[in-house]
């Protein structure tokens, strides 16, 4: 924190980004400058309040961080398509199973899985999207509510909040900072049942129970058949170190059959199922893992399936540069359903060692199953933490209609796209993390790895080309209370493709930071509901951005009457029907977070017609600046500054033509202002020409815009960029 007195506690403002920081720590989730869901948009996790914000398809979604009972941290986007994992200290090498269906995304460490399927741990403890919706994510709570068999007094960090009930179970809370120690006590002590202290969902309509098995409906019970599963190890011998999960077409777990040394059986309703078998010693993180998948098991009579590890083959990839090592490997599949539901499941590991894959049963239609293998590679460095890796590889292979039976790929740089990336610095001494995520036809999302960099930095990414698409996330960090890097500013971009053999370039974290309107949906009205959520701290190159702040507020007025307010970057309100003039006032400060854009104030005045049942995108503008800055975001002070200015209206909004634009400049952090000469330079492009303030440490900017429909913007950025002489 700067200076004295200490500022108010930092608030979370702006967008949130996902990423995995491998063996180093994790990042803080920032709240989205979001917007409610227009028809057809993918919904995000609803915050408290009457409306649920959403993110338009193809754009960065908000994410939240959740600390699991194991101490591992998971970040998830609202729909669960962007998931990242950070292992707790001392848990290097632990692998994870990631499983998503409907609104639920589960991330289960391999050492917790036997306890979950054995009925000792509530599966909801690993439903990361469910924990977010319940308000149990880390930005909201520092503890996790539990119901523990016994009094839980022997578990570190567990505190009883109610007396034991008649069954002897105690309602308690687990301090998330002590989760790792508690998990060690759970796994090394006597077996006990632990569940999430939250209302159980209706088992007839959603996953329920400790194991998540969904009861069959009475209609389904009219005809049942027996499924028998035998598990064989890599030597062809019956094994107890195995488990098979049976899913229905919607992704609900119908049965879990364990290796018994003989056969295991389950009686299930007639129908089609997906069978996933794992032959592995869950107690050994280095044990070979044999995953076998049967995409369709039609149960119209009694059936027997042999999950035979010998039918799986090694999965591996080789990259050209010998110094590169895997950071993350994900082996999974997406199984859509005709009704748009379906599910996805993957295995997450640090490398390819011991990883085997095999297909069981007949192949299915290409649109019924897409298997994928994604991997991230970097240079581990002397400390093995991949810090400042000069290059990375991002790879994604897919197979339609079947699961992999082994996989081997030798990568050539010539077949990849190259992206040269510059990572600017906001605050001296800060570090950053950057991640890449991929999708492809049939693959709705993969896990990413946030790699650490000392800023400023440069890195070259070599990526699989189209039809693979890539999204990126960047965050500048400072240490949290545990000494781990915590994200204080965050930037992200939507998915895009790159061409093989081409060299691309990008830059991140460059001043001036300010508001951005990059798609229709930031601000709108549906009937009597209005929302406003403009990302305030986006960088010069158009990456949607957010930041922790020292103060933040948003107020929405209908005429002169306040109808909604929020101590954040977004606001949602119920407004009276019919046309009216509205005003939105945003105020943010962050001097303890960054010396750039330490204060951003904006006032939008606009008219909304409010007619019909459709969505009206509000007619708002932002002003963007592009100073010439170096990799430390400094601008060389010249006698006269020619500053590129761009005007952006919310896409699809009915704005007028620009009638007036003024730009004012301050060299004393907004105490005094002087007008710049504004010269047109193209479509919605201008140049602001002014004498550079003498002896100024930074340049502050204030703009006023009025269009032909009477829509108006006043936007102030204090400390937009620093000057050096």
């Amino acid at each position: 924190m700067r200076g004295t007195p200490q500022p108010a506690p930092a608030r979370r403002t702006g967008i949130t980004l996902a990423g995995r920081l491998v063996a180093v720590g994790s990042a803080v989730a920032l709240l989205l400058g979001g917007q409610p869901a227009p028809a057809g948009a993918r919904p995000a996790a609803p915050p408290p309040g009457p409306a649920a914000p959403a993110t338009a398809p193809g754009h960065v979604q908000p994410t939240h961080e959740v600390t699991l009972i194991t101490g591992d941290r998971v970040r998830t986007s609202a729909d669960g398509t962007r998931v990242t994992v950070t292992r707790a200290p001392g848990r290097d090498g632990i692998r994870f199973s990631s499983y998503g269906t409907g609104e639920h995304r589960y991330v289960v460490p391999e050492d917790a899985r036997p306890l979950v399927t054995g009925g000792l741990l509530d599966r909801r403890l690993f439903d990361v999207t469910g924990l977010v919706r319940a308000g149990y994510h880390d930005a909201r709570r520092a503890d996790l509510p539990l119901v523990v068999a016994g009094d839980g007094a022997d578990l570190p960090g567990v505190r009883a909040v109610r007396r034991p009930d008649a069954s002897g179970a105690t309602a308690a809370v687990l301090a998330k900072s002590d989760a790792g120690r508690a998990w060690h006590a759970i796994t090394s002590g006597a077996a006990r049942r632990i569940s999430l202290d939250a209302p159980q969902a209706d088992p007839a309509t959603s996953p329920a129970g400790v194991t998540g098995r969904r009861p069959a409906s009475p209609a389904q019970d009219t005809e049942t058949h027996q499924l028998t599963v035998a598990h064989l190890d890599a030597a062809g011998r019956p094994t107890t170190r195995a488990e098979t999960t049976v899913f229905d077409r919607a992704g609900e777990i119908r049965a879990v059959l364990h290796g018994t040394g003989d056969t295991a059986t389950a009686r299930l309703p007639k129908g089609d199922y997906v069978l996933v078998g794992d032959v592995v010693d869950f107690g050994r993180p280095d044990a070979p893992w044999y995953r076998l998948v049967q995409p369709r098991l039609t149960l119209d009579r009694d059936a027997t399936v042999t999950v035979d590890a010998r039918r799986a083959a090694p999965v591996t990839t080789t990259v050209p540069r010998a110094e590169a090592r895997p950071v993350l490997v994900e082996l999974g599949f997406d199984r859509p359903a005709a009704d748009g539901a379906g599910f996805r499941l993957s295995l997450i590991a640090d490398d390819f060692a011991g990883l085997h894959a095999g297909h069981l049963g007949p192949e299915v239609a290409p649109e019924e199953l897409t298997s994928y293998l994604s991997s991230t590679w970097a240079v581990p460095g002397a400390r093995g933490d991949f810090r400042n890796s000069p290059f990375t590889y991002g790879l994604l292979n897919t197979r339609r209609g079947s699961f992999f039976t082994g996989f081997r790929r030798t990568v050539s740089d010539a077949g990849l796209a190259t992206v040269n990336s510059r990572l600017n610095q906001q605050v001296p001494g800060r570090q950053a993390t950057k991640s890449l995520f991929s999708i492809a036809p049939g693959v709705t999302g993969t896990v990413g790895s946030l790699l650490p960099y000392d800023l400023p930095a440069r890195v070259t990414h070599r990526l699989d080309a189209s039809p693979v698409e890539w999204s990126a996330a960047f965050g500048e960090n400072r240490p949290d209370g545990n000494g781990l890097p915590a994200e204080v500013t965050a930037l992200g971009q939507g998915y895009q493709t790159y061409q093989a053999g081409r060299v691309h370039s990008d830059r991140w974290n460059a001043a001036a930071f300010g508001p951005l309107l990059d798609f229709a949906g930031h601000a709108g009205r549906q009937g009597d509901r209005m929302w406003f959520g403009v990302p305030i701290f986006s960088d010069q190159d158009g990456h949607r951005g957010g930041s922790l702040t020292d103060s933040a507020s948003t107020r929405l007025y209908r005429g002169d009457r306040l109808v909604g307010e929020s101590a954040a970057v977004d606001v949602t309100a119920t407004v009276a029907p019919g046309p009216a003039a509205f005003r939105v006032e945003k105020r943010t400060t962050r001097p303890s977070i960054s010396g750039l854009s330490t204060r951003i104030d904006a006032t939008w005045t606009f008219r909304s017609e409010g007619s019909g049942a459709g969505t009206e995108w509000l007619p708002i503008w932002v002003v963007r600046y592009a100073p010439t800055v170096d990799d430390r975001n400094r601008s060389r002070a010249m006698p006269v500054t020619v500053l590129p200015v761009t005007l952006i209206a919310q896409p699809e909004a009915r704005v007028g033509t620009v009638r007036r634009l003024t730009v004012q400049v301050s060299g004393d952090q907004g105490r005094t202002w002087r007008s710049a000469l504004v010269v047109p330079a193209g479509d919605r492009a201008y140049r602001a020409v002014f004498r550079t303030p003498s002896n100024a440490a930074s340049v502050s900017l204030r703009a006023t815009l009025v269009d032909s429909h009477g829509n108006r913007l006043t936007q102030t950025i204090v400390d937009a960029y620093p000057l050096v002489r």
Side-chain angles (χ1 to χ4, degrees), residues 597-675:
S597 297
T598 58
R599 190 182 93 227
I600 299 180
D601 297 339
T603 299
W604 290 267
T605 304
F606 54 90
R607 185 172 181 82
S608 169
E609 297 305 319
S611 57
T615 301
E616 176 190 6
W617 305 124
L618 301 181
I620 59 173
W621 296 83
V622 296
V623 179
R624 306 276 299 157
Y625 303 103
T628 299
V629 295
D630 63 15
D631 56 5
R632 288 176 168 80
N633 279 314
R634 303 170 302 190
S635 182
R636 178 68 57 182
M638 306 298 289
V640 175
T641 297
V642 179
L643 177 65
V645 180
T646 303
L647 310 182
I648 301 178
Q650 177 167 224
E652 301 182 33
R654 295 181 179 179
V655 297
T657 58
V658 176
R659 288 289 177 85
R660 181 162 63 92
L661 173 66
T662 64
V663 175
Q664 295 178 298
V665 181
S666 173
D668 56 11
Q669 296 184 306
R671 288 186 289 274
T672 61
W673 296 93
R674 157 167 108 239
S675 294

Side-chain angles (χ1 to χ4, degrees), residues 249-583:
R249 293 289 298 275
E252 299 293 351
I253 297 174
R254 293 295 189 168
V256 179
L257 298 98
H258 300 275
T260 63
D262 191 0
T263 59
T265 61
R267 193 150 198 94
L268 297 167
K270 175 183 178 180
D272 288 338
Y273 297 90
V274 179
L275 184 147
V276 178
D278 290 308
V279 180
V280 60
D281 182 351
F282 290 112
R284 287 180 47 211
D286 61 343
W289 194 308
Y290 301 85
R291 169 153 288 180
L292 298 107
V293 175
Q294 183 162 339
R296 184 193 297 154
L297 170 65
T298 299
L299 203 61
D300 55 6
R301 67 195 70 182
D302 291 353
T304 298
V305 175
T306 300
V307 176
D308 187 343
R310 295 171 299 175
R311 298 187 62 177
V315 171
T316 187
T317 296
T318 303
V319 299
R321 302 192 175 218
E323 64 269 37
R325 295 289 184 273
V327 181
L328 172 74
V329 176
E330 184 183 15
L331 173 66
F333 65 83
D334 268 52
R335 183 72 160 88
D339 60 0
F343 67 105
R344 54 195 177 275
L345 184 145
S346 69
L347 168 63
I348 303 164
D350 276 346
D351 54 35
F352 291 92
L355 191 58
H356 299 72
H359 177 90
L360 299 176
E363 294 191 2
V364 296
E367 64 272 12
E368 287 189 45
L369 182 90
T370 302
S371 304
Y372 64 89
L373 176 67
S374 71
S375 60
T376 301
W377 300 69
V379 179
R383 293 186 295 182
D385 62 359
F386 298 95
R387 181 174 303 278
N388 298 322
S389 179
F391 65 87
T392 71
Y393 284 93
L395 308 173
L396 176 62
N397 291 94
T398 63
R399 179 170 296 172
R400 307 298 295 270
S402 67
F403 196 59
F404 295 102
T405 296
F407 180 85
R408 184 178 298 275
R409 177 184 177 185
T410 300
V411 176
S412 165
D413 283 353
L416 304 177
T418 299
V419 181
N420 294 319
S421 191
R422 294 172 53 192
L423 311 179
N424 277 19
Q425 174 195 81
Q426 288 193 47
V427 177
R430 286 245 178 106
Q431 299 172 348
T433 46
K434 188 182 180 188
S435 180
L436 292 167
F437 302 87
S438 58
I439 60 174
V443 178
T444 57
T446 60
V447 173
S449 293
L450 264 177
L451 298 178
Y453 296 91
D454 298 315
L455 296 178
R458 300 197 179 195
V459 57
T460 296
H461 303 295
R462 292 182 172 86
L463 306 174
D464 268 330
S466 179
V468 177
E469 299 180 45
W470 294 92
S471 174
F474 172 94
E476 191 165 307
N477 308 317
R478 66 183 181 190
D480 65 10
N482 297 316
L484 298 176
E487 201 166 75
V488 293
T489 62
L491 300 164
Q493 70 179 25
Y495 287 98
Q496 59 188 55
T497 58
Y498 300 100
Q499 296 182 27
R502 294 282 301 274
V503 177
H504 309 260
S505 63
D506 64 17
R507 179 180 61 170
W508 292 76
N509 209 31
F513 297 88
L516 177 68
L517 297 169
D518 59 342
F519 67 94
H522 290 290
R525 184 179 182 184
Q526 283 180 332
D528 63 354
R529 189 171 65 128
M530 181 174 286
W531 65 91
F532 202 99
V534 177
I536 292 296
F537 292 100
S538 303
D539 72 3
Q540 181 185 144
D541 297 285
H543 300 116
R544 294 185 66 200
S547 174
L548 296 181
T549 61
D550 298 312
S551 65
S553 67
T554 304
R555 293 182 174 88
L556 171 62
Y557 296 84
R558 188 181 194 274
D560 292 326
R561 187 170 70 87
L562 180 66
V563 294
E565 62 181 325
S566 169
V569 76
D570 58 323
V571 66
T572 302
T574 299
V575 298
F582 291 86
R583 184 173 78 257

Side-chain angles (χ1 to χ4, degrees), residues 71-357:
D72 305 306
R73 300 183 189 182
V74 179
R75 271 216 206 147
T76 179
S77 59
D79 63 359
T81 59
R82 291 166 61 101
V83 168
T84 63
V85 178
T86 301
R87 294 175 181 84
R91 290 175 57 76
D92 293 351
I94 292 292
R95 295 168 291 198
F96 294 79
S97 292
S98 178
Y99 159 63
T101 178
E103 297 179 341
H104 302 272
R105 184 67 180 257
Y106 301 87
V107 178
V108 184
E110 63 178 315
D111 56 343
R113 185 165 153 177
L115 300 178
V116 174
T117 58
L120 293 175
L121 276 184
D122 188 345
R123 186 174 69 144
R124 296 177 302 160
L125 290 166
F126 304 95
D127 179 1
V128 292
T129 50
L131 291 170
V132 168
R133 284 191 299 273
Y136 297 158
H137 55 88
D138 295 353
R140 184 73 62 80
R141 290 189 65 146
D143 55 30
L144 188 64
L146 303 174
V147 176
V148 182
D151 60 12
D154 60 320
L155 299 179
V158 171
R159 176 176 58 85
V161 295
R162 291 196 303 272
R163 293 177 180 273
D165 60 17
S167 68
T170 301
V173 292
L174 167 63
K176 292 178 180 178
S177 60
D178 288 322
R181 293 194 304 133
W183 180 248
H184 178 74
I186 290 169
T187 54
S188 59
R192 74 185 81 199
R193 182 166 178 169
I194 301 175
S195 60
L196 184 69
D197 190 7
Q200 286 277 2
D202 180 359
T205 59
S206 60
V210 172
T211 64
R213 299 182 184 89
R214 181 181 178 184
S217 67
Q220 292 172 317
D221 284 337
T222 56
E223 181 180 343
T224 64
H225 301 283
Q226 180 167 289
L227 172 64
T228 301
V229 175
H231 297 95
L232 302 180
D233 66 15
R237 298 174 302 223
T239 179
T240 60
R241 304 189 196 285
E243 181 179 280
T244 293
T245 307
V246 182
F247 301 87
D248 65 19
R249 293 289 298 275
E252 299 293 351
I253 297 174
R254 293 295 189 168
V256 179
L257 298 98
H258 300 275
T260 63
D262 191 0
T263 59
T265 61
R267 193 150 198 94
L268 297 167
K270 175 183 178 180
D272 288 338
Y273 297 90
V274 179
L275 184 147
V276 178
D278 290 308
V279 180
V280 60
D281 182 351
F282 290 112
R284 287 180 47 211
D286 61 343
W289 194 308
Y290 301 85
R291 169 153 288 180
L292 298 107
V293 175
Q294 183 162 339
R296 184 193 297 154
L297 170 65
T298 299
L299 203 61
D300 55 6
R301 67 195 70 182
D302 291 353
T304 298
V305 175
T306 300
V307 176
D308 187 343
R310 295 171 299 175
R311 298 187 62 177
V315 171
T316 187
T317 296
T318 303
V319 299
R321 302 192 175 218
E323 64 269 37
R325 295 289 184 273
V327 181
L328 172 74
V329 176
E330 184 183 15
L331 173 66
F333 65 83
D334 268 52
R335 183 72 160 88
D339 60 0
F343 67 105
R344 54 195 177 275
L345 184 145
S346 69
L347 168 63
I348 303 164
D350 276 346
D351 54 35
F352 291 92
L355 191 58
H356 299 72

